[in-house]
Amino acid sequence: MASSLNNASSSSKELQHTLYGRCAQGPANALYYQDDLLEFDVIPGNSISTLLECVQGLMNEGLFKVHTHDGLMAWKVVKPEDAAREKSLSQEETIILSHIRDTQREGIWTTTLRRRVNLHLSIVTRCLRTLESKNFIKAIKNVKYPARKIYILASLNPSEDVTGGPWFTDGELDTNFIDYLADWVQQYITARSWVQRPAIMVPKKAKMNKADAEKARARALEPYKHLPSSKEDLLPLPPGFRDYPEVKELTRWINKSGVASVTLAEVDVTQLLDVMGYDGRIDKVFTGSLGGPGYRTRRQAHPKPDEYAGTGLTESPCGVCPVFNLCEEGGPVSASNCKYFEEWLDV
């Protein structure tokens, strides 16, 4: 009789080992229902009682965890090293860990957890402290409820609904990162939205009298009066241009260039482009490089002359003079006879 019991026990252990090995070969965090376990063709005769006996044995060893999904019971594989660690936990700690595990990447609020386990606050607090010190769980911030303390398994990353996605850092909106990335994206789109005005080169020793030089300077300055010249160097692209960057191209460029410290999805870049559109920095056009909607930068309004903050060079007459190459002592234009110097110095 004893020999028969030992053989039965040995057979049950072998079935458990085989069943666990087949499940462990599957994807991580996979759920196995009763029919899935029977499809492995491990249980003799697909006996339900034998299957439940094997599952219960694996649960007693901590190698299987039971879950309820869509009203059906399922089991998830636990790594042997994790099962060994959990054996050192108390009953209360095991119960609390089980509830935290069930919430997956969403996490659970401490108040909700205490209501579910029906334990005293001091016991829940002590168990959470122990589980956190043993690296079973970790506390996270929920952007929707920043005042709440949320716990999640230490091995999981919280979902974007909890963290707010790449635009949040430690539960707070990272405006510095958003502004920094928006500037880079605007530069990239600008390079594909405008063309550089061809420069007009004036020979250094061109033969020109003083009157002609004054006329040339006046003609050159008239279109740019009271405007920073750098803005006027860009010309719009012709109508029907079809090479404006699209979301897919911008996403690929951001992730490849390394300007962002995190990998962004197309939906994240779309959110950034929407904000830039609301800020009046870009426009959406329906002639993108890949056949879909693209983006181009908007020509920014120029500040008034008294509001424009330039460098010392651009504020001086020489910094914006279009006949600067003709300026020399004894020539038609020189610093000694420049009337614009007198006006500038009087200011």
Side-chain angles (χ1 to χ4, degrees), residues 242-264:
R242 294 184 174 275
D243 197 29
Y244 294 109
E246 297 186 17
V247 173
K248 183 177 294 185
E249 177 187 344
L250 291 168
T251 304
R252 186 169 56 248
W253 170 76
I254 291 173
N255 293 330
K256 185 177 180 180
S257 63
V259 296
S261 57
V262 295
T263 301
L264 301 181

Side-chain angles (χ1 to χ4, degrees), residues 16-227:
Q16 293 176 23
H17 178 76
T18 305
L19 183 62
Y20 178 82
R22 295 293 298 274
C23 294
Q25 293 175 1
N29 298 321
L31 289 175
Y32 295 97
Y33 297 91
Q34 178 178 298
D35 292 341
D36 298 328
L37 298 178
L38 291 175
E39 286 180 1
F40 288 135
D41 200 21
V42 173
I43 306 302
N46 284 344
S47 171
I48 300 299
S49 60
T50 305
L51 173 63
L52 295 179
E53 183 181 348
C54 289
V55 170
Q56 185 62 49
L58 291 170
M59 291 178 60
N60 293 339
E61 295 292 329
L63 298 175
F64 264 19
K65 292 295 181 183
V66 65
H67 292 265
T68 302
H69 186 70
D70 294 335
L72 299 175
M73 183 177 293
W75 295 270
K76 183 180 291 186
V77 174
V78 179
K79 295 180 180 179
E81 54 271 23
D82 293 337
R85 291 177 61 211
E86 291 188 22
K87 285 185 177 180
S88 63
L89 301 178
S90 65
Q91 183 178 0
E92 293 85 358
E93 292 166 353
T94 302
I95 294 174
I96 290 176
L97 180 62
S98 175
H99 282 279
I100 295 176
R101 181 184 287 112
D102 290 341
T103 60
Q104 295 295 312
R105 298 176 60 200
E106 300 301 320
I108 187 170
W109 183 27
T110 51
T111 301
T112 303
L113 176 64
R114 186 163 62 90
R115 186 165 55 246
R116 290 184 181 179
V117 299
N118 196 25
L119 294 173
H120 193 272
L121 176 61
S122 61
I123 298 177
V124 174
T125 303
R126 173 175 54 80
C127 292
L128 289 174
R129 190 181 299 114
T130 301
L131 291 172
E132 192 170 10
S133 65
K134 293 183 178 180
N135 201 31
F136 281 101
I137 61 174
K138 61 183 177 182
I140 59 174
K141 286 186 177 180
N142 191 317
V143 295
K144 297 179 182 178
Y145 311 103
R148 295 183 178 182
K149 197 163 188 179
I150 311 293
Y151 282 96
I152 191 175
L153 289 181
S155 58
L156 298 179
N157 291 321
S159 65
E160 289 194 357
D161 290 338
V162 175
T163 63
W167 312 122
F168 285 79
T169 301
D170 296 330
E172 297 182 359
L173 186 65
D174 195 343
T175 56
N176 291 332
F177 173 62
I178 295 174
D179 294 340
Y180 164 80
L181 188 57
D183 290 341
W184 274 100
V185 172
Q186 183 172 356
Q187 291 182 27
Y188 183 87
I189 299 177
T190 298
R192 299 274 294 278
S193 303
W194 308 88
V195 292
Q196 195 75 22
R197 179 190 297 274
I200 301 176
M201 302 302 296
V202 180
K204 177 70 177 176
K205 298 298 183 181
K207 298 297 182 182
M208 185 182 295
N209 56 38
K210 183 175 181 179
D212 292 337
E214 291 289 346
K215 291 180 181 179
R217 187 180 193 282
R219 285 196 306 270
L221 285 178
E222 185 61 30
Y224 314 117
K225 193 174 183 180
H226 304 318
L227 294 176

